């Protein structure tokens, strides 16, 4: 469930990034592959996360919501999943 | 085949000022010694909006949380230094930070190369000239100029920077060198995850079979070291 919040934030970033018409396909492809990676990890993690991990996810979602520039949103579409995986002590790739 | 300094046009002169900024060298030096998680931290901060270091420490508990190395440990000291330096880059503003990030990846590449090849063989902003072939408009970011085994690097902050032009230019160097009986290894360095690079590359038809991709998780291969996990 925790990582679904990140997947949802990725959707918000896609909405912000979609106005860059030339990158429409790339933006959606990024969302597809990273959401799949996060969901695969999430399905393996059924235990309650430590407080500091939950706080990290909160903070990462907040940071994603601060991104309004479409070009920055494209950068963050790739960065948010990597930062999330580092936060939960998973291989970031 | 021969190497030549790129012409110093107005854009190059402005960019040279960015490349010479001490902050670029400081960040590159820190990232050269960083682990993969610290490199992700740097990428996030330099891509992010928050200027509050406390917020970033919360986002990266494996580097700053209860299970992280103690505050005097060299890894923790480096994490703090990377956070401070990355915030300094982010604080330069949107336009400038974009130029800084590109210059940082180039400087990091040169820094890592210096651990594997003689520093005197490493050059930046160079063209590679071949007999009977029009010179490329854009110089290569970094080159290793050694007899019989040259390397040409194009450095990108993110996977989005990968374009058909970049792929063609790198492959052209390899192909034209081969035509002259020389060898140039083209390398695309991207300060982004390989997964994102593969997404970007999937829809390109430009030749890339002869080009080596180095992504954020495998940067140490530039220095001749194996990649490590980032967690």
């Amino acid at each position: 469930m925790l990582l679904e919040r990140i997947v949802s934030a990725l959707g918000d970033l896609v909405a912000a990034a979609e106005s860059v018409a030339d990158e429409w396909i790339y933006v959606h492809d990024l969302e597809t592959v990273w959401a799949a990676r996060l969901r695969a990890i999430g399905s393996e993690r059924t235990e309650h996360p430590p407080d500091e991990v939950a706080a990290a996810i909160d903070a990462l979602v907040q940071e994603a919501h601060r991104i309004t520039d479409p070009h920055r949103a494209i950068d963050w579409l790739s960065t948010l999943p990597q930062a999330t995986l580092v936060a939960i002590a998973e291989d970031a790739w | 085949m021969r190497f030549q300094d790129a012409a110093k046009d107005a854009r190059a002169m402005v960019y040279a000022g960015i490349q010479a900024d001490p902050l670029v060298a400081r960040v590159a030096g820190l990232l050269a010694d960083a682990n993969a998680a610290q490199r992700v931290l740097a990428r996030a901060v330099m891509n992010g909006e928050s200027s509050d270091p406390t917020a970033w420490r919360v986002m990266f508990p494996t580097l700053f949380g209860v299970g992280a190395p103690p505050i005097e440990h060299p890894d923790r000291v480096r994490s703090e230094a990377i956070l401070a330096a990355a915030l300094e880059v982010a604080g330069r503003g949107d336009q400038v930070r974009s130029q800084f990030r590109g210059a940082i990846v180039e400087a990091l590449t040169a820094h890592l190369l210096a651990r594997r090849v003689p520093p005197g063989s490493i050059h930046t902003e160079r063209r590679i000239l071949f007999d009977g072939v029009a010179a490329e408009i854009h110089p290569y970011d970094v080159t290793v100029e050694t007899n019989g085994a040259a390397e040409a690097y194009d450095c990108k902050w993110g996977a989005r920077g990968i374009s058909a032009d970049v792929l063609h230019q790198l492959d052209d160097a390899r192909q034209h060198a081969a035509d002259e009986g020389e060898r140039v290894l083209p390398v695309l360095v991207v300060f982004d995850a390989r997964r994102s690079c593969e997404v970007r590359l999937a829809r390109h038809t430009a030749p890339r079979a002869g080009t080596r991709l180095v992504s954020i998780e495998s940067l140490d291969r530039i220095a001749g070291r194996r990649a490590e996990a980032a967690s």
Side-chain angles (χ1 to χ4, degrees), chain B residues 58-89:
Chain B
V58 172
M59 286 183 244
F60 285 84
T62 54
L63 297 178
F64 302 105
V66 294
I71 204 145
E72 71 280 2
H73 190 281
D75 280 348
R76 180 66 170 268
V77 171
R78 188 180 304 111
S79 292
E80 289 288 355
I82 287 171
L83 174 56
L87 282 170
E88 214 174 309
V89 172

Side-chain angles (χ1 to χ4, degrees), chain B residues 32-156:
Chain B
D33 292 327
N35 61 37
Q38 290 168 330
R39 288 170 180 162
V40 172
L41 167 70
R43 177 172 167 78
V45 175
M46 286 188 269
N47 274 348
E49 291 285 349
S50 292
S51 57
D52 175 10
T54 304
W56 291 106
R57 291 190 192 99
V58 172
M59 286 183 244
F60 285 84
T62 54
L63 297 178
F64 302 105
V66 294
I71 204 145
E72 71 280 2
H73 190 281
D75 280 348
R76 180 66 170 268
V77 171
R78 188 180 304 111
S79 292
E80 289 288 355
I82 287 171
L83 174 56
L87 282 170
E88 214 174 309
V89 172
R92 299 286 178 108
D94 269 359
Q95 181 74 25
V96 177
R97 91 152 84 175
S98 174
Q99 292 176 306
F100 263 82
R101 294 185 310 196
I104 286 166
V105 183
E106 293 164 16
L108 172 60
T109 297
H111 209 108
L112 290 169
L113 278 170
R115 295 176 177 177
R116 178 169 58 81
V117 302
S121 67
I122 302 168
H123 301 268
T124 58
E125 303 292 332
R126 297 275 274 177
R127 292 176 194 270
I128 308 178
L129 305 178
F130 302 95
D131 286 342
V133 177
E136 298 281 359
I137 296 171
H138 300 291
Y140 294 89
D141 295 325
V142 183
T143 52
V144 175
E145 299 172 21
T146 53
N147 285 335
E151 300 168 26
Y153 289 79
D154 201 298
C155 304
K156 300 294 178 196

Side-chain angles (χ1 to χ4, degrees), chain B residues 26-38:
Chain B
R26 177 154 63 96
V27 176
L30 287 165
L31 292 177
D33 292 327
N35 61 37
Q38 290 168 330

Side-chain angles (χ1 to χ4, degrees), chain A residues 20 22-23 25-26 29-30 33-34 37 52-53 55-57 59-60 63 66-72 74-79 82-83 85-93, chain B residues 36-37 40 43-45 47-50 55-56 58-63 65-67 94 97 101 157-160 192-196 199-200 203 216-217 228-231:
Chain A
V20 184
D22 290 348
E23 301 291 2
I25 293 173
Y26 174 57
D29 285 352
L30 270 182
V33 300
W34 280 113
R37 168 85 173 121
E52 69 173 6
V53 171
I57 298 300
L60 284 164
E63 184 65 22
R66 287 191 188 97
I67 309 289
T68 54
D69 176 82
H71 299 282
R72 189 80 67 81
I74 295 174
D75 276 340
W76 199 249
L77 264 171
S78 177
T79 305
Q82 296 172 59
L85 293 169
V86 168
I88 64 173
E90 279 285 346
D91 185 341
W93 337 113
Chain B
V40 172
R43 177 172 167 78
V45 175
N47 274 348
E49 291 285 349
S50 292
W56 291 106
V58 172
M59 286 183 244
F60 285 84
T62 54
L63 297 178
V66 294
D94 269 359
R97 91 152 84 175
R101 294 185 310 196
W157 171 258
R160 189 185 175 197
D192 202 346
R194 187 175 192 95
R195 187 179 301 269
S196 296
V199 168
R200 188 68 172 175
R203 293 185 185 272
I216 194 170
E217 60 266 55
E228 60 151 335
S231 61

Side-chain angles (χ1 to χ4, degrees), chain A residues 2 5-6 9 56-66 80:
Chain A
L2 198 63
R5 296 191 56 212
I6 298 293
I57 298 300
D58 275 345
L60 284 164
V61 169
Q62 286 174 28
E63 184 65 22
H65 286 157
R66 287 191 188 97
L80 177 60

